[in-house]
Every structure is written in C-alpha cells, then in structure tokens.
Amino acid sequence: MFASAISLLETARSATVLCHVQPDADTIGSGLAIGTVLARRGVEVQVAFASPSELPESMNELPGRDMLTAPEDVRSRVDLVVTVDAGSRGRLGALADRIDMADACLVIDHHRSNTRFGTLNVVDDGAESTTAVITRLLDAWNVAVDTDLAHCLFAGLVTDTGSFRWVRPGSHLLAERLLATGIDGAAIARKLLDNHPFGWLPMLGSVLGSAALVQDAVGGLGLVYAVILRENSEGMRSEEIESVIDIVRTTSEAEVAAVFKQQSGDEWTVSLRSKTAVDVSTVAATLGGGGHRNAAGFTAHGAKTDVIDLLVDALG
Ligand SMILES: [Mn+2]
C-alpha cells in the first residue's frame, strides 16, 4: 500500500503539503509531520491551508509550524503536492489548483467519502486519523519517529479518536509508540481539547438553551440539533464553535446530532454526528459535503428553517 507513495516522496525535490480548509489538528498534525520529514531530506517544502488566514490558536505549539505558508505565497510549480486529511479537492479551497500544476499528487486520507482525486491515493477509511495512516507510512519508510514528529502525529490521533473513544485494536499501541518518545500526551490533549475562554460558557448557555429534539426524524430514531447564529459566535474561536457538537451528540434520545453554524447571512456549515445506525457521510454527500460514517458535514444556503428542513428531509 505504501511502496508507491514512498517512491513519490523519495524522488520529489520540491513539494507542497496541503491541509484542508478550516483545519483541525489531524490535518495540521499530518501536514507538519510529512513536511518535517521532507524538509529533513532536503526537499524544498511548504505546508499550507487556504482558509482562514490564521492557524487555530490551539495548534500554535505544534512542531514545524514555521513551515506554514500563507496561501498567496504557495509556489505554483512543484514536483509533488501531498494532500492530508482532505476527502475531496473542494476541501482544499483556493489551493486546489496547485494539484494541476504539480507533476504528481499524493492523497493521504482516512475519509470514507474520499473521491480519490490524486495521481496516487493512500486512503485507509478504517484508520483512526490521517496521522495514524502517516505513522504507518513512516514505519514502512523506515523513518524514525522522534518527539517532534510524535507530537504532530499524536495531535491528530487524540482529537480524531475523541480522546480515544473511537478506537480499534492497535489504536492504543499506536498511541503508546508515540508517547514512548517522551511527548507530554496530557499537555497536548489539554491544549487541543480542554482549553476554552470563559466566554464559551455563556455562548453554550444560549446555543444549548435553544436546542431542539425531533423525535420522529431519521425514521423515528431521532434528530437533535442546535443553531449557532453569528451573534453567538462573535469573538469565538473555531475551537469554541466546533466543540458544541460534542455536547449535542451525547443526547440519548437521538441517533443523529447536528449543529448549524451561520457563516454569513444565508450561508450555513452543518456538522453531523451519528451513533451507530446511520451513515452520515452518505447523507452529507447527498447535500454536497462528506466525511466519515459517524462524523460528517456540509455547507448549505438559505433561511435557517429551510436549511433545517433540508437536513430533516435528507435524513428520511
Ligand atoms: Mn481526520
């Protein structure tokens, strides 16, 4: 599975590593890990994401972040583009065109909905995180994982597994390998997941206070949702906004949870989570988005009630 990828990585003299828009710790951790390995081999490398303009504050201690390059400064011509944790070209935003100008594009991902848009696609939809795929790739490549690489790789693993809730045989061995390098796993997890300003609490109060349970949705399995209006998210970081779904999804009466996040007047991004019975990546794909079986998302336009109805209809 990894041999062709390694040969692409070994022959490139210049490379751009692209993370997805609205980056999370898995895409940034993956990007910085691959970027670091390439830079150490003498490859000219940039790591970038198209938007927003700033790296989320919770990720500002990840090793290798000095490789991060503003989108307008990302070279157009390189030997190799590597995309990490992006399920489709669209997830690369305005930087997607860099793929067309490179000799080759290596896609490394774990999204079930991945569209295989690279010239070579290393997609393991059973993997815990893209950093888990990369750890296995580095093993196959005989690259030693030191503390800097382990820090980046653990960041994606701890966040994408929901602090090791969504794991499989081998996940904890992977974590153990990374922790054994000497990284401070507790500090990394706290910085990424348990670190919100006080203003998050009143924001949660108003957003959760208007949550709704639609018991007959999803064929009677139930939908719970909350809406984050612009006025709720004003001054909030992505870390505060993206954490709301993790509270809403714990509702026991509902198989599916959704959070509608108002981006501008009529533009909404919607996060979806399911427990067991429903594949929300399929639902999100029918609405132009994508993701994993139990965690997915899409973007929609319209009035709040119309966007909610759109999802309720799609869920059946
Ligand atoms: Mn991921």
Side-chain angles (χ1 to χ4, degrees):
M1 179 181 181
F2 295 127
S4 319
I6 291 166
S7 125
L8 269 182
L9 290 162
E10 280 190 333
T11 50
R13 301 316 308 151
S14 60
T16 301
V17 184
L18 296 178
C19 307
H20 63 69
V21 293
Q22 316 306 325
D24 59 17
D26 192 28
T27 197
I28 296 294
S30 296
L32 295 180
I34 283 286
T36 297
V37 171
L38 289 171
R40 285 176 183 171
R41 295 178 54 86
V43 177
E44 282 180 61
V45 60
Q46 294 177 320
V47 182
F49 53 93
S51 69
S53 53
E54 294 292 321
L55 181 70
E57 199 180 346
S58 58
M59 300 168 207
N60 67 9
E61 289 175 3
L62 291 177
R65 60 199 173 279
D66 52 331
M67 276 181 294
L68 287 168
T69 306
E72 60 272 21
D73 298 329
V74 173
R75 283 190 297 262
S76 49
R77 256 294 311 153
V78 285
D79 296 342
L80 176 67
V81 164
V82 183
T83 75
V84 285
D85 201 45
S88 65
R89 275 181 69 110
R91 295 285 287 152
L92 302 170
L95 288 171
D97 66 353
R98 298 305 195 281
I99 292 174
D100 309 319
M101 299 181 246
D103 291 344
C105 173
L106 169 62
V107 167
I108 307 177
D109 190 28
H110 70 132
H111 287 90
R112 190 185 189 90
S113 60
N114 190 287
T115 58
R116 271 78 176 169
F117 57 95
T119 45
L120 182 67
N121 303 285
V122 175
V123 179
D124 178 1
D125 69 10
E128 302 87 339
S129 62
T130 297
T131 62
V133 180
I134 290 173
T135 308
R136 293 170 182 128
L137 176 120
L138 296 183
D139 286 345
W141 196 5
N142 288 316
V143 172
V145 174
D146 63 5
T147 54
D148 280 356
L149 290 174
H151 187 149
C152 291
L153 297 167
F154 189 81
L157 185 63
V158 70
T159 51
D160 266 31
T161 59
S163 304
F164 301 102
R165 289 183 189 86
W166 307 298
V167 285
R168 62 178 193 175
S171 303
H172 288 89
L173 283 175
L174 195 56
E176 165 57 21
R177 274 203 48 211
L178 300 175
L179 289 166
T181 64
I183 56 169
D184 186 342
I188 293 168
R190 190 183 321 112
K191 169 90 178 164
L192 290 168
L193 294 163
D194 291 336
N195 190 26
H196 297 286
F198 178 77
W200 183 57
L201 300 180
M203 183 270 252
L204 282 178
S206 61
V207 167
L208 298 178
S210 61
L213 178 64
V214 188
Q215 196 62 76
D216 60 356
V218 202
L221 296 174
L223 166 71
V224 60
Y225 68 83
V227 177
I228 305 178
L229 300 171
R230 289 282 301 179
E231 66 200 59
N232 303 128
S233 58
E234 194 127 349
M236 293 287 142
R237 308 174 307 164
S238 60
E239 287 89 340
E240 281 69 70
I241 295 162
E242 298 308 316
S243 64
V244 173
I245 189 71
D246 284 319
I247 301 168
V248 175
R249 68 171 174 76
T250 62
T251 304
S252 55
E253 293 91 337
E255 161 67 18
V256 176
V259 171
F260 297 84
K261 296 166 282 183
Q262 187 179 31
Q263 300 301 315
S264 59
D266 74 339
E267 184 185 331
W268 302 82
T269 56
V270 186
S271 298
L272 298 175
R273 299 290 184 273
S274 66
K275 288 174 183 156
T276 51
V278 174
D279 179 353
V280 285
S281 74
T282 310
V283 176
T286 67
L287 298 169
H292 306 282
R293 180 178 167 81
N294 301 118
F298 65 97
T299 298
H301 295 267
K304 180 179 83 174
T305 50
D306 293 340
V307 174
I308 293 170
D309 289 347
L310 178 77
L311 175 63
V312 171
D313 286 348
L315 286 168

